[in-house]
Amino acid sequence: MALAFVTSNKHKFEEAAEIAKRHGVDIVHRAVPYAEIQADTLEEIVIHGAQEVSASAGGPCFVEDAGLFIDALKGFPGPYSKFVFLTIGNAGVLKLLEGEKNRKAEFRSAVGYCEPGGKPVVFSAKCVGKISAEPQGKGGFGFDPIFLSDGGEGKTFAEMTTELKNKFSHRGKAVEAVVKWYKEEKSLKSGKK
Ligand code: ITT
């Protein structure tokens, strides 16, 4: 049975699909809505989410929650990134950082995996970088045009291919961890090891 990634965001699925394909794991996109609880950590959000969606998924599935944590704003917007993106957007974030020399920021991702009736397993990862002075690039989604990953040679995520973004990104690392773990679990269960 294929592993389901439950997300309303097709860009997130496309990124995950590139990773799963590289590892020979079958993943499918499910866009069923689930409750994202208000919590201080991404991990708490995905534990709840994974448990909720696995009850109806009928098979192995995972959810992922991400956030942008800006150093000069004491970690804001963090777990509230979606609301901030939908309200003030990239222009608003740049405005909040006007005249600010400290542009340090990181993207964090938490993946929650669960099987029906099982216990959730969590994988976390981050990507350290900076907020650009102005938006750059047309690709990607969300805060991609204003995020410069360390090691990304001055390119924002919006200027990278999916493969390149996955090499650096929070989601790339967290999804790679769940996919590798799942592959290993499956081969152990099927007695191939
Ligand atoms: P889900 O249905 O999977 O929750 P979502 O679009 O609501 O999809 P998140 O809650 O994980 O995604 O992300 C919160 C916000 O952070 C989201 O609205 C994006 O604007 C932004 N974001 C998350 N990951 C990002 C990335 O890789 N690049 C740019 N922005 C990102």
Side-chain angles (χ1 to χ4, degrees), residues 1-24:
M1 173 171 269
L3 174 61
F5 180 10
V6 181
T7 174
S8 65
N9 186 324
K10 71 174 173 49
H11 300 280
K12 284 170 59 163
F13 178 75
E14 278 160 16
E15 291 177 11
E18 190 273 323
I19 295 161
K21 193 170 169 208
R22 238 190 299 128
H23 290 278

PDB file of all heavy atoms in Angstrom, residues 1-24:
ATOM      1  N   MET A   1       0.839  -1.207   0.000  1.00  0.00           N
ATOM      2  CA  MET A   1       0.000   0.000   0.000  1.00  0.00           C
ATOM      3  C   MET A   1       0.878   1.263   0.000  1.00  0.00           C
ATOM      4  O   MET A   1       1.880   1.320   0.708  1.00  0.00           O
ATOM      5  CB  MET A   1      -0.900  -0.021   1.244  1.00  0.00           C
ATOM      6  CG  MET A   1      -1.666   1.271   1.418  1.00  0.00           C
ATOM      7  SD  MET A   1      -2.903   1.164   2.695  1.00  0.00           S
ATOM      8  CE  MET A   1      -4.283   0.629   1.743  1.00  0.00           C
ATOM      9  N   ALA A   2       0.476   2.240  -0.815  1.00  0.00           N
ATOM     10  CA  ALA A   2       1.287   3.464  -0.916  1.00  0.00           C
ATOM     11  C   ALA A   2       1.195   4.282   0.375  1.00  0.00           C
ATOM     12  O   ALA A   2       0.214   4.222   1.108  1.00  0.00           O
ATOM     13  CB  ALA A   2       0.786   4.294  -2.088  1.00  0.00           C
ATOM     14  N   LEU A   3       2.249   5.029   0.592  1.00  0.00           N
ATOM     15  CA  LEU A   3       2.313   5.937   1.742  1.00  0.00           C
ATOM     16  C   LEU A   3       1.596   7.229   1.334  1.00  0.00           C
ATOM     17  O   LEU A   3       1.882   7.780   0.260  1.00  0.00           O
ATOM     18  CB  LEU A   3       3.795   6.195   2.030  1.00  0.00           C
ATOM     19  CG  LEU A   3       4.210   7.194   3.083  1.00  0.00           C
ATOM     20  CD1 LEU A   3       3.674   6.783   4.459  1.00  0.00           C
ATOM     21  CD2 LEU A   3       5.739   7.274   3.129  1.00  0.00           C
ATOM     22  N   ALA A   4       0.651   7.698   2.167  1.00  0.00           N
ATOM     23  CA  ALA A   4      -0.092   8.914   1.800  1.00  0.00           C
ATOM     24  C   ALA A   4       0.478  10.147   2.507  1.00  0.00           C
ATOM     25  O   ALA A   4       0.765  10.104   3.701  1.00  0.00           O
ATOM     26  CB  ALA A   4      -1.561   8.745   2.166  1.00  0.00           C
ATOM     27  N   PHE A   5       0.657  11.230   1.760  1.00  0.00           N
ATOM     28  CA  PHE A   5       1.039  12.519   2.347  1.00  0.00           C
ATOM     29  C   PHE A   5      -0.230  13.362   2.351  1.00  0.00           C
ATOM     30  O   PHE A   5      -0.759  13.734   1.299  1.00  0.00           O
ATOM     31  CB  PHE A   5       2.151  13.163   1.513  1.00  0.00           C
ATOM     32  CG  PHE A   5       2.648  14.511   2.024  1.00  0.00           C
ATOM     33  CD1 PHE A   5       2.279  15.017   3.273  1.00  0.00           C
ATOM     34  CD2 PHE A   5       3.526  15.261   1.257  1.00  0.00           C
ATOM     35  CE1 PHE A   5       2.744  16.247   3.734  1.00  0.00           C
ATOM     36  CE2 PHE A   5       4.005  16.503   1.700  1.00  0.00           C
ATOM     37  CZ  PHE A   5       3.602  16.989   2.942  1.00  0.00           C
ATOM     38  N   VAL A   6      -0.731  13.636   3.559  1.00  0.00           N
ATOM     39  CA  VAL A   6      -1.974  14.397   3.694  1.00  0.00           C
ATOM     40  C   VAL A   6      -1.624  15.874   3.851  1.00  0.00           C
ATOM     41  O   VAL A   6      -1.070  16.293   4.877  1.00  0.00           O
ATOM     42  CB  VAL A   6      -2.802  13.884   4.893  1.00  0.00           C
ATOM     43  CG1 VAL A   6      -4.121  14.665   5.004  1.00  0.00           C
ATOM     44  CG2 VAL A   6      -3.096  12.390   4.736  1.00  0.00           C
ATOM     45  N   THR A   7      -1.915  16.640   2.813  1.00  0.00           N
ATOM     46  CA  THR A   7      -1.616  18.078   2.831  1.00  0.00           C
ATOM     47  C   THR A   7      -2.539  18.801   1.863  1.00  0.00           C
ATOM     48  O   THR A   7      -2.924  18.242   0.836  1.00  0.00           O
ATOM     49  CB  THR A   7      -0.137  18.356   2.451  1.00  0.00           C
ATOM     50  OG1 THR A   7       0.059  19.772   2.344  1.00  0.00           O
ATOM     51  CG2 THR A   7       0.271  17.736   1.122  1.00  0.00           C
ATOM     52  N   SER A   8      -2.855  20.065   2.203  1.00  0.00           N
ATOM     53  CA  SER A   8      -3.688  20.866   1.309  1.00  0.00           C
ATOM     54  C   SER A   8      -2.800  21.592   0.286  1.00  0.00           C
ATOM     55  O   SER A   8      -3.312  22.298  -0.573  1.00  0.00           O
ATOM     56  CB  SER A   8      -4.447  21.905   2.136  1.00  0.00           C
ATOM     57  OG  SER A   8      -3.514  22.807   2.721  1.00  0.00           O
ATOM     58  N   ASN A   9      -1.500  21.424   0.424  1.00  0.00           N
ATOM     59  CA  ASN A   9      -0.556  22.230  -0.353  1.00  0.00           C
ATOM     60  C   ASN A   9       0.134  21.378  -1.427  1.00  0.00           C
ATOM     61  O   ASN A   9       0.971  20.535  -1.117  1.00  0.00           O
ATOM     62  CB  ASN A   9       0.457  22.818   0.645  1.00  0.00           C
ATOM     63  CG  ASN A   9       1.416  23.781   0.012  1.00  0.00           C
ATOM     64  OD1 ASN A   9       1.821  23.598  -1.132  1.00  0.00           O
ATOM     65  ND2 ASN A   9       1.799  24.804   0.756  1.00  0.00           N
ATOM     66  N   LYS A  10      -0.191  21.637  -2.686  1.00  0.00           N
ATOM     67  CA  LYS A  10       0.346  20.783  -3.756  1.00  0.00           C
ATOM     68  C   LYS A  10       1.864  20.961  -3.936  1.00  0.00           C
ATOM     69  O   LYS A  10       2.553  20.050  -4.365  1.00  0.00           O
ATOM     70  CB  LYS A  10      -0.411  20.987  -5.061  1.00  0.00           C
ATOM     71  CG  LYS A  10      -0.176  22.306  -5.770  1.00  0.00           C
ATOM     72  CD  LYS A  10      -0.876  22.283  -7.119  1.00  0.00           C
ATOM     73  CE  LYS A  10      -0.866  23.571  -7.869  1.00  0.00           C
ATOM     74  NZ  LYS A  10       0.321  24.336  -8.076  1.00  0.00           N
ATOM     75  N   HIS A  11       2.370  22.126  -3.578  1.00  0.00           N
ATOM     76  CA  HIS A  11       3.823  22.344  -3.689  1.00  0.00           C
ATOM     77  C   HIS A  11       4.562  21.439  -2.713  1.00  0.00           C
ATOM     78  O   HIS A  11       5.607  20.886  -3.017  1.00  0.00           O
ATOM     79  CB  HIS A  11       4.183  23.797  -3.373  1.00  0.00           C
ATOM     80  CG  HIS A  11       3.529  24.784  -4.274  1.00  0.00           C
ATOM     81  ND1 HIS A  11       3.999  25.060  -5.526  1.00  0.00           N
ATOM     82  CD2 HIS A  11       2.426  25.557  -4.111  1.00  0.00           C
ATOM     83  CE1 HIS A  11       3.218  25.968  -6.098  1.00  0.00           C
ATOM     84  NE2 HIS A  11       2.253  26.283  -5.254  1.00  0.00           N
ATOM     85  N   LYS A  12       4.010  21.327  -1.500  1.00  0.00           N
ATOM     86  CA  LYS A  12       4.632  20.464  -0.505  1.00  0.00           C
ATOM     87  C   LYS A  12       4.630  19.018  -0.998  1.00  0.00           C
ATOM     88  O   LYS A  12       5.606  18.299  -0.843  1.00  0.00           O
ATOM     89  CB  LYS A  12       3.893  20.584   0.849  1.00  0.00           C
ATOM     90  CG  LYS A  12       4.228  21.880   1.582  1.00  0.00           C
ATOM     91  CD  LYS A  12       3.355  22.163   2.786  1.00  0.00           C
ATOM     92  CE  LYS A  12       3.366  21.129   3.861  1.00  0.00           C
ATOM     93  NZ  LYS A  12       2.831  21.664   5.162  1.00  0.00           N
ATOM     94  N   PHE A  13       3.530  18.604  -1.618  1.00  0.00           N
ATOM     95  CA  PHE A  13       3.482  17.233  -2.124  1.00  0.00           C
ATOM     96  C   PHE A  13       4.511  17.036  -3.240  1.00  0.00           C
ATOM     97  O   PHE A  13       5.212  16.025  -3.273  1.00  0.00           O
ATOM     98  CB  PHE A  13       2.079  16.848  -2.623  1.00  0.00           C
ATOM     99  CG  PHE A  13       2.083  15.456  -3.171  1.00  0.00           C
ATOM    100  CD1 PHE A  13       2.135  14.364  -2.306  1.00  0.00           C
ATOM    101  CD2 PHE A  13       2.126  15.220  -4.538  1.00  0.00           C
ATOM    102  CE1 PHE A  13       2.209  13.064  -2.797  1.00  0.00           C
ATOM    103  CE2 PHE A  13       2.207  13.924  -5.036  1.00  0.00           C
ATOM    104  CZ  PHE A  13       2.240  12.851  -4.168  1.00  0.00           C
ATOM    105  N   GLU A  14       4.616  18.014  -4.149  1.00  0.00           N
ATOM    106  CA  GLU A  14       5.576  17.888  -5.263  1.00  0.00           C
ATOM    107  C   GLU A  14       7.003  17.737  -4.737  1.00  0.00           C
ATOM    108  O   GLU A  14       7.793  16.948  -5.252  1.00  0.00           O
ATOM    109  CB  GLU A  14       5.500  19.107  -6.185  1.00  0.00           C
ATOM    110  CG  GLU A  14       4.352  19.000  -7.181  1.00  0.00           C
ATOM    111  CD  GLU A  14       3.936  20.346  -7.775  1.00  0.00           C
ATOM    112  OE1 GLU A  14       4.706  21.334  -7.670  1.00  0.00           O
ATOM    113  OE2 GLU A  14       2.815  20.402  -8.327  1.00  0.00           O
ATOM    114  N   GLU A  15       7.322  18.502  -3.700  1.00  0.00           N
ATOM    115  CA  GLU A  15       8.670  18.387  -3.119  1.00  0.00           C
ATOM    116  C   GLU A  15       8.877  16.984  -2.537  1.00  0.00           C
ATOM    117  O   GLU A  15       9.906  16.344  -2.747  1.00  0.00           O
ATOM    118  CB  GLU A  15       8.865  19.449  -2.023  1.00  0.00           C
ATOM    119  CG  GLU A  15       8.921  20.862  -2.587  1.00  0.00           C
ATOM    120  CD  GLU A  15       9.042  21.962  -1.525  1.00  0.00           C
ATOM    121  OE1 GLU A  15       9.282  21.647  -0.345  1.00  0.00           O
ATOM    122  OE2 GLU A  15       8.897  23.129  -1.894  1.00  0.00           O
ATOM    123  N   ALA A  16       7.866  16.495  -1.798  1.00  0.00           N
ATOM    124  CA  ALA A  16       7.983  15.172  -1.168  1.00  0.00           C
ATOM    125  C   ALA A  16       8.057  14.066  -2.218  1.00  0.00           C
ATOM    126  O   ALA A  16       8.791  13.083  -2.053  1.00  0.00           O
ATOM    127  CB  ALA A  16       6.801  14.940  -0.237  1.00  0.00           C
ATOM    128  N   ALA A  17       7.294  14.240  -3.318  1.00  0.00           N
ATOM    129  CA  ALA A  17       7.267  13.218  -4.361  1.00  0.00           C
ATOM    130  C   ALA A  17       8.645  13.049  -4.998  1.00  0.00           C
ATOM    131  O   ALA A  17       9.058  11.933  -5.336  1.00  0.00           O
ATOM    132  CB  ALA A  17       6.228  13.574  -5.414  1.00  0.00           C
ATOM    133  N   GLU A  18       9.370  14.159  -5.145  1.00  0.00           N
ATOM    134  CA  GLU A  18      10.718  14.084  -5.738  1.00  0.00           C
ATOM    135  C   GLU A  18      11.633  13.229  -4.858  1.00  0.00           C
ATOM    136  O   GLU A  18      12.405  12.405  -5.342  1.00  0.00           O
ATOM    137  CB  GLU A  18      11.274  15.515  -5.921  1.00  0.00           C
ATOM    138  CG  GLU A  18      12.553  15.613  -6.734  1.00  0.00           C
ATOM    139  CD  GLU A  18      13.842  15.439  -5.925  1.00  0.00           C
ATOM    140  OE1 GLU A  18      13.898  15.903  -4.765  1.00  0.00           O
ATOM    141  OE2 GLU A  18      14.797  14.825  -6.455  1.00  0.00           O
ATOM    142  N   ILE A  19      11.489  13.388  -3.554  1.00  0.00           N
ATOM    143  CA  ILE A  19      12.326  12.628  -2.607  1.00  0.00           C
ATOM    144  C   ILE A  19      11.926  11.154  -2.604  1.00  0.00           C
ATOM    145  O   ILE A  19      12.773  10.261  -2.680  1.00  0.00           O
ATOM    146  CB  ILE A  19      12.202  13.222  -1.187  1.00  0.00           C
ATOM    147  CG1 ILE A  19      12.769  14.640  -1.189  1.00  0.00           C
ATOM    148  CG2 ILE A  19      12.894  12.352  -0.143  1.00  0.00           C
ATOM    149  CD1 ILE A  19      12.311  15.483  -0.029  1.00  0.00           C
ATOM    150  N   ALA A  20      10.607  10.908  -2.532  1.00  0.00           N
ATOM    151  CA  ALA A  20      10.122   9.522  -2.480  1.00  0.00           C
ATOM    152  C   ALA A  20      10.565   8.764  -3.734  1.00  0.00           C
ATOM    153  O   ALA A  20      11.013   7.614  -3.652  1.00  0.00           O
ATOM    154  CB  ALA A  20       8.607   9.519  -2.353  1.00  0.00           C
ATOM    155  N   LYS A  21      10.480   9.430  -4.879  1.00  0.00           N
ATOM    156  CA  LYS A  21      10.863   8.805  -6.144  1.00  0.00           C
ATOM    157  C   LYS A  21      12.346   8.401  -6.120  1.00  0.00           C
ATOM    158  O   LYS A  21      12.713   7.298  -6.504  1.00  0.00           O
ATOM    159  CB  LYS A  21      10.598   9.789  -7.287  1.00  0.00           C
ATOM    160  CG  LYS A  21      10.651   9.155  -8.650  1.00  0.00           C
ATOM    161  CD  LYS A  21      10.149  10.090  -9.718  1.00  0.00           C
ATOM    162  CE  LYS A  21      10.485   9.502 -11.078  1.00  0.00           C
ATOM    163  NZ  LYS A  21      10.652  10.518 -12.091  1.00  0.00           N
ATOM    164  N   ARG A  22      13.170   9.305  -5.617  1.00  0.00           N
ATOM    165  CA  ARG A  22      14.613   9.033  -5.516  1.00  0.00           C
ATOM    166  C   ARG A  22      14.900   7.800  -4.676  1.00  0.00           C
ATOM    167  O   ARG A  22      15.872   7.101  -4.881  1.00  0.00           O
ATOM    168  CB  ARG A  22      15.284  10.253  -4.869  1.00  0.00           C
ATOM    169  CG  ARG A  22      16.348  10.849  -5.735  1.00  0.00           C
ATOM    170  CD  ARG A  22      17.183  11.886  -5.051  1.00  0.00           C
ATOM    171  NE  ARG A  22      16.508  13.067  -4.559  1.00  0.00           N
ATOM    172  CZ  ARG A  22      16.633  13.502  -3.304  1.00  0.00           C
ATOM    173  NH1 ARG A  22      17.349  12.827  -2.427  1.00  0.00           N
ATOM    174  NH2 ARG A  22      16.010  14.602  -2.932  1.00  0.00           N
ATOM    175  N   HIS A  23      14.025   7.542  -3.677  1.00  0.00           N
ATOM    176  CA  HIS A  23      14.236   6.398  -2.787  1.00  0.00           C
ATOM    177  C   HIS A  23      13.378   5.193  -3.161  1.00  0.00           C
ATOM    178  O   HIS A  23      13.314   4.225  -2.411  1.00  0.00           O
ATOM    179  CB  HIS A  23      13.974   6.811  -1.332  1.00  0.00           C
ATOM    180  CG  HIS A  23      15.030   7.737  -0.810  1.00  0.00           C
ATOM    181  ND1 HIS A  23      16.240   7.293  -0.325  1.00  0.00           N
ATOM    182  CD2 HIS A  23      15.082   9.091  -0.747  1.00  0.00           C
ATOM    183  CE1 HIS A  23      16.976   8.339   0.034  1.00  0.00           C
ATOM    184  NE2 HIS A  23      16.294   9.442  -0.220  1.00  0.00           N
ATOM    185  N   GLY A  24      12.682   5.279  -4.272  1.00  0.00           N
ATOM    186  CA  GLY A  24      11.863   4.147  -4.741  1.00  0.00           C
ATOM    187  C   GLY A  24      10.669   3.853  -3.854  1.00  0.00           C
ATOM    188  O   GLY A  24      10.230   2.714  -3.738  1.00  0.00           O
TER     189      GLY A  24
END
